[in-house]
């Protein structure tokens, strides 16, 4: 079955790699990244031309309904990674390592990172943390797996950070963030997500390290931007962070569509003739004759 798209698909796109992102930074071109957790969403954003797709552990909150990202498991991440990989042809695919998949031991971290590539169809992994994660990051990279770092607001440490709050606001905290970014670069990360940090700090870090930074709530001075797609589309309505720009109101649109459907079913407006399959008259008459023989004098349920 062939599919015809009404949208101008970004055709003949070459596969985006970690090197492509580095080259974009050198050319001063901004990198776009979005989260996806399923096949159709990944397919549409890949066709639209996004540079990178992150299968984020935000999955836990925006798709699975958990209160935080902490309960997300490797199995859940791999299940959704595979769906995204089936939908994407060109974008760089980043698998987000969930809580406790890289904190227990270096060996376990390398094994779990490997599963994202072997069983999840991802191209690389992302993990949260700075100086405390260097041994793990180095070991994963030694195993041939590219690593994207994540600094600033690191949601897996929400209990340590005392809530989802902006990071790096004091000169000391900003200094620490800069040092962490330099350490991640030295350790071999190909890129770093900067989440919820002051815009001027994010810009300073971005212009003083060689690898691309991808900002979320970190202003326009980063080398790229990422948003949680369910925030961008207005699907997730539990709360919307201040830094989100909503490009659609899907929650409202979905609600209206579901209400309309329910009303149509109740009023029998749906299915209409064009949604139904017809049957040739001769076949129908023969069916009725045969059915009568089988059913005998039984009164139809509707007439009882
Ligand atoms: O899990 C996620 O979606 C993320 C982004 C917010 C960067 O880590």
């Amino acid at each position: 079955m062939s599919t015809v798209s009404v949208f101008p698909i970004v055709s003949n796109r070459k596969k985006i790699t970690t090197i492509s992102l580095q080259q974009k930074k050198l050319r001063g071109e901004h990198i776009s990244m979005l989260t996806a957790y399923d096949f159709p969403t990944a397919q549409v954003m890949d066709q639209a031309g996004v540079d990178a797709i992150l299968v984020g552990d935000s999955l836990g909150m925006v798709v699975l309904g958990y209160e935080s990202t902490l309960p997300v498991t490797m199995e859940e991440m791999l299940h959704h990674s595979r769906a995204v990989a089936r939908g994407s042809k060109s974008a760089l695919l980043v698998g987000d390592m969930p809580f406790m998949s890289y904190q227990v031991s270096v060996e376990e971290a390398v094994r779990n990172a490997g599963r994202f590539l072997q069983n999840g169809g991802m191209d690389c992994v992302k993990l949260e943390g700075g100086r405390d994660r260097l041994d793990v990051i180095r070991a994963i990279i030694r195993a041939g797996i590219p690593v994207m770092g994540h600094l600033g607001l690191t949601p897996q440490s929400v209990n340590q950070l005392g809530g989802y709050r902006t990071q790096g606001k004091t000169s000391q905290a900003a200094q620490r963030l800069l040092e962490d970014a330099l350490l991640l670069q030295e350790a071999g990360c190909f890129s770093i997500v900067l989440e919820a940090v002051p815009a001027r700090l994010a810009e300073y870090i971005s212009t003083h390290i060689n690898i691309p930074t991808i900002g979320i709530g970190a202003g326009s001075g980063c080398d790229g931007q990422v948003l949680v797609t369910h925030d961008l589309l207005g699907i997730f309505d539990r709360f919307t962070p201040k830094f989100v720009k909503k490009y659609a109101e899907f929650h409202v649109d979905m609600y209206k569509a579901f209400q309309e459907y329910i009303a149509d079913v109740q009023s029998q407006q749906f299915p209409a003739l064009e949604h139904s399959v017809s049957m040739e008259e001769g076949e129908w008459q023969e069916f009725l004759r045969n059915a009568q023989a089988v059913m005998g004098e039984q009164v139809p349920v509707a007439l009882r």
Side-chain angles (χ1 to χ4, degrees):
M1 193 178 80
S2 71
T3 51
V4 180
S5 176
V6 291
F7 301 108
I9 290 170
V10 180
S11 60
N12 301 325
R13 258 209 318 161
K14 278 208 236 140
K15 174 73 187 168
I16 310 284
T17 65
T18 58
I19 307 291
S20 322
L21 298 198
Q22 179 67 58
Q23 289 166 340
K24 279 200 150 210
K25 173 163 178 138
L26 289 173
R27 289 196 297 264
E29 291 172 15
H30 285 261
I31 297 160
S32 57
M33 182 158 90
L34 281 171
T35 65
Y37 320 96
D38 62 53
F39 169 81
T41 311
Q43 197 178 37
V44 175
M45 63 179 61
D46 192 272
Q47 290 173 350
V50 77
D51 292 313
I53 299 178
L54 169 67
V55 184
D57 65 352
S58 48
L59 161 80
M61 295 176 80
V62 301
V63 173
L64 302 179
Y66 299 146
E67 288 294 327
S68 73
T69 58
L70 301 184
V72 178
T73 65
M74 270 302 294
E75 271 56 44
E76 287 166 338
M77 289 304 299
L78 291 174
H79 178 76
H80 288 270
S81 294
R82 284 192 289 273
V84 167
R86 286 191 283 268
S88 166
K89 281 198 171 74
S90 307
L92 178 75
L93 300 179
V94 188
D96 205 5
M97 297 195 69
F99 183 54
M100 295 313 279
S101 69
Y102 57 95
Q103 288 89 344
V104 177
S105 73
V106 171
E107 283 76 11
E108 217 176 304
V110 175
R111 194 163 298 120
N112 281 326
R115 291 177 75 198
F116 271 102
L117 275 66
Q118 262 188 333
N119 314 125
M122 298 288 101
D123 300 316
C124 55
V125 297
K126 173 172 89 58
L127 60 89
E128 298 180 6
R131 60 198 70 197
D132 298 335
R133 298 283 164 242
L134 294 178
D135 50 350
V136 160
I137 290 171
R138 287 199 192 97
I140 295 174
I141 294 170
R142 263 202 309 278
I145 302 165
V147 176
M148 178 180 276
H150 185 158
L151 296 174
L153 171 54
T154 46
Q156 292 175 16
S157 310
V158 60
N159 294 318
Q160 212 164 32
L161 300 175
Y164 298 100
R165 54 182 76 221
T166 307
Q167 301 297 304
K169 284 178 84 169
T170 63
S171 71
Q172 217 179 5
Q175 179 74 26
R176 198 177 157 83
L177 252 167
L178 172 64
E179 285 168 10
D180 277 347
L182 289 166
L183 287 169
L184 291 191
Q185 170 173 262
E186 258 171 53
C189 284
F190 72 89
S191 170
I192 303 174
V193 166
L194 294 176
E195 178 165 355
V197 303
R200 48 166 58 161
L201 173 62
E203 183 168 2
Y204 186 92
I205 293 173
S206 304
T207 51
H208 285 81
I209 64 173
N210 300 319
I211 55 175
T213 59
I214 315 260
I216 173 163
S220 61
C222 295
D223 301 302
Q225 297 293 327
V226 58
L227 277 179
V228 170
T229 294
H230 285 53
D231 290 336
L232 171 153
L233 293 178
I235 301 177
F236 185 66
D237 79 332
R238 232 193 251 165
F239 66 87
T240 306
K242 175 181 174 291
F243 55 72
V244 167
K245 178 172 175 185
K246 273 195 194 180
Y247 288 81
E249 287 287 358
F250 276 22
H251 187 91
V252 177
D253 291 345
M254 283 161 73
Y255 183 82
K256 280 191 197 148
F258 297 148
Q259 271 200 327
E260 221 174 292
Y261 165 76
I262 293 163
D264 274 1
V265 168
Q266 285 170 348
S267 65
Q268 289 186 287
Q269 297 291 303
F270 176 82
L273 221 51
E274 67 265 31
H275 310 119
S276 309
V277 177
S278 63
M279 190 168 170
E280 205 261 313
E281 187 58 23
E283 294 294 332
W284 178 242
Q285 291 306 330
E286 190 177 335
F287 163 77
L288 282 180
R289 277 193 298 278
N290 293 339
Q292 231 155 19
V294 175
M295 304 303 286
E297 294 307 309
Q298 265 196 43
V299 182
V301 177
L303 300 180
R304 278 178 211 159

